[in-house]
Amino acid sequence: LAIKEKALGGDHPSTATSLNNLAGLYESMGRFADALPLLRRALRIVSVSDVTDRSREHGAIEHLAKMSANLAGFLDKHGGEAATDEAIFYYKLSVNTRQRLRAGAKGLDQATRDSLTRQLADPYYELAKLLVRRGRLAESERVLFLLKESELHGYLRRNGAAAGELAALSWTPTEEAYQRALDEVARLWRAFEQKRAEVLERVRQGRLARDAAEVLALEAEPSQLDNRTGNLMNDAVTHFTEASRKLWEARQQGFELTRTALADKLAEIAKHTPAVTAGCNLIQHAD
């Protein structure tokens, strides 16, 4: 990790891979507090790549699919009940990314497509289980629907989708807000990378001194962006937990209202229904 950070930079995808692997080692040692920041940083690095621009992917989509699932799995195993909704978000991100990977195999033979589906399937199942745990059954069913290859192609044919376009999971309002915040941070990181490349090129050409104020300011910017990203990701669990609490309270209130209305209806029916004496007819058998 130290060598990659020095040779390639702290924001290189290969650096993210080392962060991810080191986090896995820490997890196996029970050092969960050391592992989680590395997983978040690794995901942040690969999220910066503009995966909506196919000309710039360079494997970024595979990294995003794997590392978002790794973070989701870690949160599910070690984050407690409070981290469940955050884990759901990252599993959704992984599944939507894997849908794009599967889109690239749509023209291949059935055996190859089936093999790819099996390789990519685990986050679909894990997400479905978490959604069931949260009582979000319709979303769980949708996840499993996307995984079924035959229905997926049927869906594409019915909707006239072009190659490379696959159905994706929708976000809840809280998830969508968090996704927008992550997208904005990723946009800022991409803008910084572009600006850094331009400044370093001017330094290389001798048009700008290495100790110029512009260069020094540039060196401080990654730390500021990293803090902003870290705070955003660390605060996510609070927002997801609050949203989950409000949803649970709304469901409880709906249940109580329904139960009260049903009790009132039964009482009304009872007032207008004559009492019925239950009896039984004895059948006498001949000796």
Side-chain angles (χ1 to χ4, degrees), residues 24-175:
L25 179 58
Y26 282 156
E27 182 182 10
S28 70
M29 298 168 67
R31 296 172 58 178
F32 305 136
D34 293 322
L36 182 56
L38 301 187
L39 288 171
R40 292 192 187 282
R41 183 182 163 202
L43 180 60
R44 192 274 297 162
I45 292 171
V46 297
S47 297
V48 168
S49 299
D50 187 2
V51 295
T52 62
D53 181 356
R54 294 185 180 277
S55 66
R56 297 181 56 190
E57 281 179 4
H58 304 299
I61 191 168
E62 291 90 347
H63 284 102
L64 184 58
K66 293 176 181 177
M67 293 184 188
S68 53
N70 288 347
L71 178 55
F74 183 93
L75 291 168
D76 180 32
K77 293 176 185 175
H78 310 297
E81 189 66 21
T84 298
D85 296 281
E86 188 184 5
I88 287 174
F89 171 85
Y90 288 119
Y91 270 136
K92 275 189 173 183
L93 178 61
S94 181
V95 165
N96 284 343
T97 308
R98 287 162 194 257
Q99 287 296 99
R100 294 190 59 191
L101 291 172
R102 295 175 72 197
K106 196 163 76 75
L108 302 178
D109 61 273
Q110 184 68 42
T112 302
R113 293 200 309 270
D114 290 345
S115 176
L116 178 62
T117 297
R118 287 192 296 271
Q119 293 176 40
L120 300 176
D122 283 350
Y124 290 76
Y125 291 123
E126 295 302 320
L127 173 58
K129 287 191 291 187
L130 291 186
L131 289 169
V132 169
R133 186 195 303 175
R134 277 292 188 249
R136 296 160 62 175
L137 303 183
E139 288 183 87
S140 178
E141 183 180 25
R142 173 69 169 164
V143 173
L144 297 178
F145 168 81
L146 292 182
L147 187 59
K148 296 172 69 174
E149 185 78 7
S150 59
E151 291 186 9
L152 178 62
H153 284 283
Y155 178 90
L156 289 170
R157 286 194 298 271
R158 286 195 304 274
N159 291 275
E165 294 181 9
L166 283 187
L169 299 174
S170 58
W171 303 110
T172 66
T174 303
E175 291 167 348

